[in-house]
């Protein structure tokens, strides 16, 4: 590792990104990790500003995430949703009682003029999160999915319609003018960049689409690796495999590596997909084969340690 190059920048979406970020907290001092989180899934719902991926990362790093869903809080009660249902209100996006407190407080502070970064940093600190976690931008960016049923806002497609409509294309409304978080452009003291095993099209792509981010990362002269979100042709969680197919990519880790070509110089492949290594190396990137399944906290730490070793091997 180069002298003074200590910081790891992790790019994360929801559940997969949060899991690897938690693993990284087990192998890095807190001040050597910054997690930059997708906010293009954010939306306004029931009058609240909801930031699903920020909350998934925050709850996971705070040790209070719901282990079954990956999103929301453990030991949650649903009194408000049930009462809302009885009144005929909208309940397709399930907000638990404790989770609601996060949305109430975030919304209040945003309305009072604080930035999303300031609110996120403070809520995370109060929940006991040690590393820096930053929204990709303080400005609104919204993923819009063009489907066989027309253009849909992301959470309409993802949660309300359960990803059923066929995806034809994806765009990030507002990304042209949104300013990236300074953490995404600050390359001083950077040891490497880790693209977490998040959905390439709707979790990582919005971060990279922010002005100057892709160029900044690729010209930083530090190792950049991605951990596969696809194992054995299937997404570990979520619609990544469905999106690969519908957007015309190979439904495999190779399809993901091709998508990240030019951005990364190392790709972490699951041992189940070791046979793809030669084809991925032919794209001009190095490959490390690892056990990428994160079933428990020990798996998360082990994968994080493997990812760090890969970063340092690429120096
Ligand atoms: N995902 C669902 O599939 N159903 C839900 O009802 C749901 C509620 C929800 C509430 C708060 C939150 O922070 C996340 C929530 N998610 C829910 C997860 C979610 O919106 C997606 O996982 C992400 O946007 C994709 O990363």
């Amino acid at each position: 590792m180069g002298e003074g190059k200590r910081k790891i920048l992790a790019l994360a979406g929801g559940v997969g990104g949060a899991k690897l970020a938690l693993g990284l907290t087990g192998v890095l001092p807190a001040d050597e990790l910054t997690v930059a989180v997708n906010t293009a899934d954010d939306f306004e719902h029931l009058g609240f500003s909801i930031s699903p991926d920020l909350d998934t990362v925050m709850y996971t790093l705070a040790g209070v995430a719901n282990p079954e869903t990956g999103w929301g809080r453990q030991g949650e009660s649903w009194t408000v949703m049930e009462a809302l249902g009885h009144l005929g209100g909208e309940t397709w996006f399930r907000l638990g009682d404790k989770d609601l407190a996060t949305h109430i407080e975030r919304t209040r502070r945003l309305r009072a003029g604080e930035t999303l970064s300031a609110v996120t940093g403070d809520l995370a600190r109060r929940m006991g999160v040690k590393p820096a976690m930053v929204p990709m931008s303080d400005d609104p960016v919204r993923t819009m999915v063009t489907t066989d049923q027309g253009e849909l806002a992301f959470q309409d497609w993802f949660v309300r319609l359960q990803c059923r409509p066929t995806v034809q294309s994806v765009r990030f409304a507002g990304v042209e003018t949104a300013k990236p978080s300074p953490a995404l452009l600050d390359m001083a003291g950077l040891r490497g960049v880790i693209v977490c095993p998040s959905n390439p099209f709707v979790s990582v792509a919005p971060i990279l689409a922010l002005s100057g981010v892709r160029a900044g990362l690729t010209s930083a002269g530090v190792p950049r690796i991605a951990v596969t979100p696809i194992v054995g042709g299937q997404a570990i969680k979520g619609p990544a495999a469905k999106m690969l197919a519908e957007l015309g990519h190979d439904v495999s880790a190779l399809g993901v590596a091709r998508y990240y070509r030019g951005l990364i110089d190392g790709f972490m492949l699951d041992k189940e997909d070791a046979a793809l290594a030669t084809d991925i190396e032919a794209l001009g990137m190095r490959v490390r084969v690892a056990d990428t399944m994160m079933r428990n906290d020990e798996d998360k730490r082990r994968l994080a340690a493997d990812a760090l070793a890969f970063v340092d091997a690429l120096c």
Side-chain angles (χ1 to χ4, degrees):
M1 195 196 325
E3 196 57 31
K5 295 201 160 191
R6 295 167 44 240
K7 283 221 165 203
I8 290 290
L9 174 65
L11 309 186
V15 181
K19 284 183 173 178
L20 185 59
L22 180 62
L24 287 165
T25 65
V27 295
L28 279 173
D31 64 348
E32 296 185 10
L33 175 64
T34 299
V35 188
V37 182
N38 172 42
T39 55
D41 294 8
D42 291 15
F43 73 138
E44 288 67 42
H45 184 60
L46 304 177
F48 298 115
S49 299
I50 317 256
S51 295
D53 287 357
L54 280 175
D55 290 345
T56 297
V57 172
M58 178 171 74
Y59 295 153
T60 302
L61 297 188
V64 301
N66 180 328
E68 271 97 55
T69 54
W71 52 264
R73 295 187 57 160
Q74 69 187 10
E76 191 53 286
S77 57
W78 301 93
T79 310
V80 174
M81 278 292 106
E82 278 158 26
L84 188 61
H86 282 124
L87 295 173
E90 277 192 65
T91 56
W92 59 270
F93 195 81
R94 311 225 357 109
L95 298 171
D97 299 333
K98 284 194 267 190
D99 187 33
L100 260 171
T102 305
H103 311 307
I104 291 170
E105 183 57 6
R106 176 190 294 116
T107 305
R108 181 188 73 78
R109 292 172 65 162
L110 289 175
R111 283 196 190 138
E114 287 187 53
T115 63
L116 185 58
S117 296
V119 179
T120 301
D122 191 56
L123 296 182
R125 185 184 58 76
R126 286 170 187 270
M127 295 207 68
V129 173
K130 295 283 186 292
M133 50 169 290
V134 298
M136 67 181 203
S137 175
D138 283 334
D139 303 318
V141 178
R142 298 292 178 260
T143 296
M144 303 297 297
V145 187
T146 301
T147 73
D148 56 350
Q149 296 180 25
E151 189 172 66
L152 298 166
F154 179 76
Q155 298 295 347
D156 267 345
W157 175 72
F158 190 95
V159 176
R160 194 169 63 79
L161 299 172
Q162 301 189 347
C163 308
R164 278 189 301 264
T166 303
V167 179
Q168 293 162 349
S169 63
V170 176
R171 72 182 177 96
F172 309 116
V175 80
E176 301 79 10
T177 50
K179 255 180 74 183
S181 163
L184 286 164
L185 303 176
D186 177 14
M187 305 303 156
L190 204 59
R191 174 177 172 188
V193 179
I194 299 179
V195 179
C196 290
S198 297
N199 186 308
F201 305 107
V202 290
S203 296
V204 180
I207 304 177
L208 300 174
L210 288 160
S211 172
V213 171
R214 182 182 272 269
L217 296 178
T218 50
S219 61
V222 299
R224 300 172 306 276
I225 68 158
V227 178
T228 186
I230 298 282
V231 174
Q234 291 188 335
I236 296 157
K237 187 166 170 49
K242 180 177 186 282
M243 295 187 83
L244 277 165
E246 291 171 359
L247 293 172
H249 300 270
D250 208 82
V251 187
S252 68
L254 174 61
V256 176
R258 278 196 192 117
Y259 184 75
Y260 285 146
R261 192 178 192 175
L263 170 75
I264 55 167
D265 32 33
F267 191 82
M268 283 191 87
L269 190 60
D270 191 82
K271 57 183 173 27
E272 188 180 326
D273 292 323
L276 296 174
T278 316
D279 285 350
I280 296 176
E281 276 163 355
L283 299 173
M285 53 184 85
R286 297 260 296 279
V287 170
R288 177 164 294 209
V289 176
D291 181 355
T292 66
M293 297 303 287
M294 294 182 279
R295 305 163 204 89
N296 53 44
D297 286 355
E298 186 40 42
D299 284 350
K300 290 170 199 145
R301 254 193 312 274
R302 186 191 21 76
L303 181 59
D306 278 352
L308 280 185
F310 192 25
V311 162
D312 291 340
L314 293 173
C315 275

